[in-house]
Amino acid sequence: LKLHDVQAVKFGQFKLKSGLTSPIYFDLRVIISHPELLRQVSSLLYKCAKDAEAKFDCVCGVPYTALPLATIICSTEDFPMLIRRKEAKDYGTKKLIEGNVRPGDVCLIVEDVVTSGSSVLETAQVLQTEGLKVTDAVVLLDREQGGAARLTVEGIALHPVISISTLLSVLLGAGRIDQATCSSVESFIQENQTFRASQVNGSSAPKRKCAELSYGGRAALPGTHPVASRLFQLMEQKSSNLCVSADVTRAEELLEIADTLGPLMCVLKTHVDILQDFGSGVRGRLTELAEKHSFLVFEDRKFADIGNTVKHQYEGGMYQISSWAHIVNAHAVPGPGVVEGLRAVGQSLGRGCLLIAQMSSRGSLATAEYTQAVVKMAEDYPDFVFGFISGSKISSKPEHVHMTPGVQMQSGGDGLGQQYSTPDEVIGSKGSDIIIVGRGIIASADRLKAAEEYRRAGWESYLSRLSMLS
């Protein structure tokens, strides 16, 4: 959004160097006049390389726009910098590479925009001529026109901070562009590929639907609640939309589940009132494990009383839920007072609330009219309510999170009215965001293996929903 604000991204009709007329133009040179943005972009590029576990000894920016970006990375992170000249001087040393070149070192290439990948390849070839190795390149924006595939063939992994698909999704979700503009750019990109994945592995590259925002894109929307934003980011980072429902009766077992399955889940759902030995030590240990494994804790308390009562239930009593649970939920039956009571405690603590709009039990009284009223209540309290417990997607707002219980690998039900749906049905067909899995994992003889199977199934369904073949 900041790139759009400073007109580094423009929409209209622009004649390119190739002679083509493009509906989008990137002029990232302007960021040098915005110091804070320049620092942020440089920081994101370095983080991108670090997250990709790229190994390198020095850094070289593709001339000229990427030079200040590489300079900031090197001065901030203490890496030696090399400068590639576009042409050799006809005097002095006549070098194409300036800096202390040590043959055998690995050099990271920094670029602002990649289309065909030719500028990165040219820089890599000059560096390699000097005896340097090039295995990775980071770029702020990948236009998704074949550059990454071409670089892969040449043995260089491209790591983009953002792709043009994600950029369009964010701008569309924020109301900066309309669907017609988004579709126009998307068509241009697909019709003007410089190198197709089929040339490498015989298959076409997936194309993201412009109308579907990724979790990361939704995290970046200005109206997304901080808890939802953090959750979306964790989901992207961990490739997981799995919430494990740990309905166990002993604290030791709960903490073991949190520690063992923590790396695979984005949320741990608890029912602390069924624990037979809950104590203050459980609160502290849950907080430590959530931090250690990067997941959020969701206490499935289902608050359903008047505002003053739920306020005390939330912050007081033996459980002191507000002190350790990032997320709680509530029924909307009592009216807005239930949200106001919870918000009075949780908002200042950075907590968030889900409203129960639908239930997975047979004969649920949550009718369509009730569900619509719940959505309206959520929209009235965007500073505390960030989503729903529901069987499917019920809100068109990309800022809202949908979490669906009653998920198993096989559809069906149990003898107590619980109805089950599969991960693909929940994420792929019903449009929910997070699968809540209890007995499918907890009752398994190998909980770790079961959790990985559900994580993979949920994530693959999400990727399938996002993508379509070009």
Side-chain angles (χ1 to χ4, degrees):
L1 294 178
K2 290 181 179 179
L3 293 175
H4 188 254
D5 289 339
V6 301
Q7 296 188 46
V9 183
K10 301 176 183 179
F11 296 88
Q13 294 296 311
F14 305 95
K15 188 173 182 178
L16 305 179
K17 184 168 63 174
S18 63
L20 294 172
T21 299
S22 171
I24 189 169
Y25 184 71
F26 300 98
D27 183 14
L28 297 180
R29 292 180 293 271
V30 301
I31 67 176
I32 64 174
S33 298
H34 301 273
E36 180 59 30
L37 182 57
L38 185 63
R39 285 191 292 270
Q40 289 177 355
V41 169
S42 301
S43 176
L44 287 171
L45 285 164
Y46 176 71
K47 183 178 184 299
C48 186
K50 188 176 179 181
D51 290 347
E53 298 183 349
K55 306 298 182 184
F56 54 94
D57 305 299
C58 55
V59 177
C60 180
V62 175
Y64 290 108
T65 307
L67 290 180
L69 300 172
T71 301
I72 293 175
I73 291 172
C74 290
S75 61
T76 303
E77 304 300 334
D78 200 26
F79 281 96
M81 178 177 168
L82 301 175
I83 297 177
R84 174 209 156 200
R85 289 184 173 274
K86 281 198 170 182
E87 59 283 318
K89 298 184 294 183
D90 60 359
Y91 58 92
T93 61
K94 301 182 180 180
K95 289 182 178 180
L96 276 174
I97 298 293
E98 298 289 350
N100 184 20
V101 176
R102 299 190 306 179
D105 276 2
V106 179
C107 186
L108 174 72
I109 293 178
V110 177
E111 177 64 300
D112 59 335
V113 180
V114 163
T115 302
S116 67
S118 59
S119 294
V120 172
L121 279 178
E122 289 170 8
T123 300
Q125 288 164 1
V126 174
L127 292 167
Q128 289 163 347
T129 300
E130 296 292 331
L132 295 163
K133 299 176 182 178
V134 178
T135 57
D136 298 86
V138 288
V139 62
L140 175 60
L141 178 74
D142 179 10
R143 286 184 61 113
E144 295 178 300
Q145 288 180 257
R150 182 182 178 191
L151 291 171
T152 298
V153 171
E154 299 296 332
I156 300 174
L158 183 69
H159 311 293
V161 172
I162 190 171
S163 66
I164 195 169
S165 294
T166 301
L167 176 68
L168 291 172
S169 292
V170 171
L171 293 176
L172 180 66
R176 301 293 186 90
I177 60 173
D178 56 23
Q179 183 64 56
T181 300
C182 180
S183 299
S184 173
V185 173
E186 189 175 59
S187 296
F188 176 84
I189 295 299
Q190 293 304 316
E191 291 168 6
N192 292 278
Q193 290 290 304
T194 64
F195 189 95
R196 292 194 177 273
S198 56
Q199 295 174 243
V200 181
N201 55 23
S203 61
S204 298
K207 169 186 170 186
R208 180 169 295 173
K209 297 180 181 179
C210 189
E212 176 72 29
L213 276 169
S214 68
Y215 293 144
R218 292 161 71 182
L221 293 175
T224 302
H225 188 278
V227 173
S229 179
R230 183 181 175 193
L231 178 54
F232 282 137
Q233 291 171 14
L234 289 177
M235 292 159 70
E236 285 277 19
Q237 292 166 10
K238 302 178 74 172
S239 297
S240 175
N241 49 13
L242 170 65
C243 168
V244 175
S245 180
D247 296 340
V248 294
T249 58
R250 293 184 300 107
E252 181 181 3
E253 186 177 7
L254 171 63
L255 296 175
E256 180 185 2
I257 290 170
D259 199 13
T260 304
L261 306 186
L264 301 177
M265 61 188 174
C266 60
V267 177
L268 173 68
K269 186 170 78 72
T270 61
H271 272 126
V272 291
D273 54 357
I274 68 173
L275 289 176
Q276 299 172 359
D277 54 352
F278 181 86
S280 60
V282 177
R283 296 196 296 265
R285 185 62 180 145
L286 271 179
T287 301
E288 291 173 2
L289 292 172
E291 182 70 23
K292 174 183 177 182
H293 296 301
S294 297
F295 62 80
L296 300 187
V297 180
F298 165 29
E299 167 52 25
D300 190 7
R301 178 62 177 76
K302 297 184 178 71
F303 292 101
D305 215 315
I306 61 173
N308 187 60
T309 299
V310 299
K311 178 177 180 292
H312 290 297
Q313 289 173 330
Y314 189 21
E315 68 179 345
M318 66 179 295
Y319 300 120
Q320 298 178 24
I321 296 169
S322 63
S323 69
W324 52 270
H326 305 95
I327 304 167
V328 292
N329 59 355
H331 286 290
V333 173
V338 67
V339 174
E340 292 168 359
L342 295 172
R343 184 179 63 168
V345 175
Q347 187 178 19
S348 63
L349 298 174
R351 308 308 193 193
C353 179
L354 300 168
L355 291 181
I356 301 167
Q358 297 170 331
M359 296 191 71
S360 57
S361 52
R362 185 180 65 249
S364 168
L365 300 180
T367 63
E369 289 184 0
Y370 176 80
T371 298
Q372 292 171 5
V374 172
V375 173
K376 175 61 168 58
M377 186 180 292
E379 293 173 347
D380 290 341
Y381 296 92
D383 55 354
F384 188 59
V385 178
F386 68 91
F388 310 95
I389 298 297
S390 58
S392 61
K393 180 180 179 180
I394 58 174
S395 169
S396 61
K397 291 183 177 295
E399 297 90 343
H400 283 154
V401 177
H402 295 80
M403 297 180 63
T404 299
V407 178
Q408 285 205 0
M409 289 301 186
Q410 299 294 329
S411 300
D414 66 7
L416 296 176
Q418 175 69 289
Q419 301 297 298
Y420 292 112
S421 298
T422 68
D424 189 56
E425 289 170 343
V426 170
I427 302 296
S429 303
K430 299 180 180 180
S432 190
D433 298 309
I434 295 174
I435 56 173
I436 302 176
V437 184
R439 279 171 278 183
I441 294 173
I442 303 304
S444 172
D446 189 337
R447 289 173 174 174
L448 188 62
K449 180 180 178 181
E452 171 56 23
E453 290 174 350
Y454 277 99
R455 184 208 64 79
R456 185 171 61 251
W459 193 254
E460 288 177 353
S461 295
Y462 159 70
L463 293 178
S464 178
R465 190 178 82 192
L466 276 185
S467 304
M468 64 179 180
L469 294 178
S470 60

